[in-house]
Amino acid sequence: MTSIPDKQVVSRRRVLQLAGASMVMPHIWIPRADAAGRVIIRSPGGVYDDIRRETIYEPFRKETGIEVVPVATTGAKLMTMLKSGNMELDIVDITVPQLMAFQRAGALLPIPYREFKYTDPDDIDENYKYEYIVGNFIYGVVMGYNTEAYAAGKEPQSWAEFWDAQAFPGPRMLADMSVGTPDLEFALLADGVALDKLYPLDIERAFDSLSRVRPAIPKFWDTGSLSAQMLSSKQAVLGSIWSPRLIAAAEAGAPVAASWNQHCVHVQAYSILKDGPNVEGAKKLVDYCLSKDVQQRYFERYKGGPVTKTAYKNLSAERRAQIPGGERTARNGFILDAQWWEDNRGKVSAAWSKWVLSR
């Protein structure tokens, strides 16, 4: 199980950078109720919440009598609430690097694995299990391509081929720094670094590699919806993209597909805020969310991957073909090193700003 030094604290400026200070939202009003009968959870919102209401939140309410209130807000807003002493939320559902910033600020409780009643802690994959953070689901960052630009089997099969704009012509797209983790790993893979030798990332080498493909990139995407739009419309015929976004676009009829070779696995995760209004309810919800039945039910609907071994094993072959994990990732992918990104995001951001201005 991975852990982070609890006493190591970052500055407020650093935490706001990590959380996305440019996206600070106005105060979010959350209806008040008996704290013991309600758990408030930070959520990405949208369709994500729609599925979770049906598969998790409403069954949890019927099981425990505790209502779940999802609130779509930013990490920066959460930190503002923390600094003000007015913590209105119980659980944060966000990416692991962002949660590491909140841990360093002393905001989180340890995950009470030994108290779990719904979930067998040993069923949680150790790759997604930390002392203060536990995985919610995994998703891939894959090489997407437009099927009208490349016939089946004629698309690039590696990031080195993606970088080869002469052999595989057409505009490309990659992630912008604003998404939190630009595609340095793919740049290093394109430059010949092995999957199991990526970390610690060689930042200078990665930017040198990015410079070689940059002329073929008309725009760096900064949201999942933009990446799907660019690939569907041929503004880019190749590009990195979050796998759930690609799958949703394909199912909506867009001419897009994925190459899973050399994919990156990201982890969306839970943490319990120690000053939240309903800590006990929060512990119970996290436990419930990770139970094998709930994981199974949820991932029959949502196009991410489960963090528990039993749920992954019980998925259909068709569903496993759409997600990372298992043998697919063991053979052809890698898991993002969240600790490296937490420790080095400032360096990468400074290098990115300098690189962007060097056009």
Side-chain angles (χ1 to χ4, degrees):
M1 188 186 303
T2 307
S3 63
I4 313 167
D6 189 35
K7 296 181 180 178
Q8 189 173 353
V9 179
V10 290
S11 67
R12 183 174 185 275
R13 179 180 178 185
R14 170 69 172 139
V15 172
L16 290 176
Q17 283 179 335
L18 291 171
S22 64
M23 298 175 64
V24 175
M25 296 170 65
H27 177 79
I28 293 177
W29 178 76
I30 301 172
R32 293 295 180 184
D34 178 13
R38 171 171 296 194
V39 170
I40 305 169
I41 182 171
R42 182 274 168 192
S43 170
V47 174
Y48 179 84
D49 277 340
D50 295 339
I51 295 173
R52 290 173 70 82
R53 283 190 185 95
E54 295 180 26
T55 61
I56 300 177
Y57 300 156
E58 183 58 19
F60 179 75
R61 185 193 64 78
K62 291 179 179 178
E63 171 79 16
T64 66
I66 300 173
E67 180 186 3
V68 180
V69 179
V71 175
T73 186
T74 64
K77 173 61 182 176
L78 294 178
M79 189 54 60
T80 299
M81 292 164 63
L82 177 68
K83 294 291 184 181
S84 71
N86 184 28
M87 182 49 64
E88 300 173 350
L89 297 131
D90 300 295
I91 299 172
V92 182
D93 176 0
I94 207 164
T95 63
V96 172
Q98 289 171 293
L99 289 174
M100 286 178 171
F102 291 111
Q103 180 186 330
R104 288 177 182 266
L108 307 180
L109 284 177
I111 302 297
Y113 295 106
R114 293 183 180 179
E115 299 176 24
F116 281 1
K117 296 180 179 179
Y118 295 103
T119 299
D120 175 3
D122 292 335
D123 194 33
I124 304 170
D125 191 308
E126 289 293 330
N127 288 306
Y128 318 129
K129 189 177 177 184
Y130 302 78
E131 185 177 357
Y132 290 81
I133 300 166
V134 63
N136 167 11
F137 70 90
I138 61 173
Y139 60 96
V141 182
V142 299
M143 186 193 304
Y145 62 95
N146 189 292
T147 57
E148 292 178 350
Y150 300 102
K154 301 297 184 181
E155 74 280 359
Q157 299 296 318
S158 68
W159 291 103
E161 291 187 347
F162 178 101
W163 251 242
D164 189 347
Q166 290 188 334
F168 299 92
R172 278 101 158 111
M173 65 178 186
L174 291 170
D176 187 78
M177 181 69 216
S178 61
V179 305
T181 52
D183 298 315
L184 302 194
E185 289 90 345
F186 298 152
L188 291 170
L189 290 170
D191 201 44
V193 178
L195 280 170
D196 61 351
K197 303 295 184 183
L198 282 169
Y199 299 101
L201 301 183
D202 184 329
I203 297 173
E204 182 177 356
R205 182 175 177 180
F207 277 97
D208 286 345
S209 179
L210 283 169
S211 294
R212 292 194 291 275
V213 78
R214 188 173 181 177
I217 299 177
K219 184 177 180 64
F220 291 90
W221 59 267
D222 55 7
T223 65
S225 58
L226 177 60
S227 64
Q229 176 189 333
M230 289 178 66
L231 202 59
S232 300
S233 66
K234 291 186 182 178
Q235 186 177 354
V237 296
L238 287 170
S240 64
I241 186 170
W242 296 329
S243 57
R245 286 287 186 174
L246 182 74
I247 295 164
E251 291 184 347
V256 296
S259 169
W260 281 88
N261 189 36
Q262 299 180 326
H263 66 275
C264 177
V265 176
H266 286 237
V267 184
Q268 183 90 1
Y270 299 119
S271 284
I272 299 168
L273 292 163
K274 69 179 183 182
D275 293 327
N278 189 359
V279 168
E280 293 306 312
K283 291 177 180 178
K284 188 173 290 187
L285 178 58
V286 169
D287 177 9
Y288 182 84
C289 287
L290 297 172
S291 65
K292 61 182 180 181
D293 292 340
V294 173
Q295 286 261 302
Q296 182 73 27
R297 182 167 67 230
Y298 178 57
F299 289 107
E300 286 173 355
R301 295 278 306 278
Y302 188 71
K303 297 175 179 65
V307 299
T308 58
K309 292 171 275 190
T310 299
Y312 181 85
K313 186 191 305 181
N314 289 341
L315 290 175
S316 67
E318 180 182 5
R319 176 60 76 195
R320 284 199 298 269
Q322 297 179 319
I323 61 173
E327 286 301 312
R328 161 178 272 172
T329 295
R331 290 194 309 266
N332 300 315
F334 63 96
I335 299 171
L336 183 89
D337 188 330
Q339 185 66 69
W340 186 91
W341 276 100
E342 207 302 52
D343 292 341
N344 292 278
R345 191 180 311 277
K347 292 179 184 178
V348 175
S349 181
W352 180 275
S353 297
K354 182 178 179 181
W355 182 74
V356 167
L357 292 175
S358 68
R359 272 194 122 129

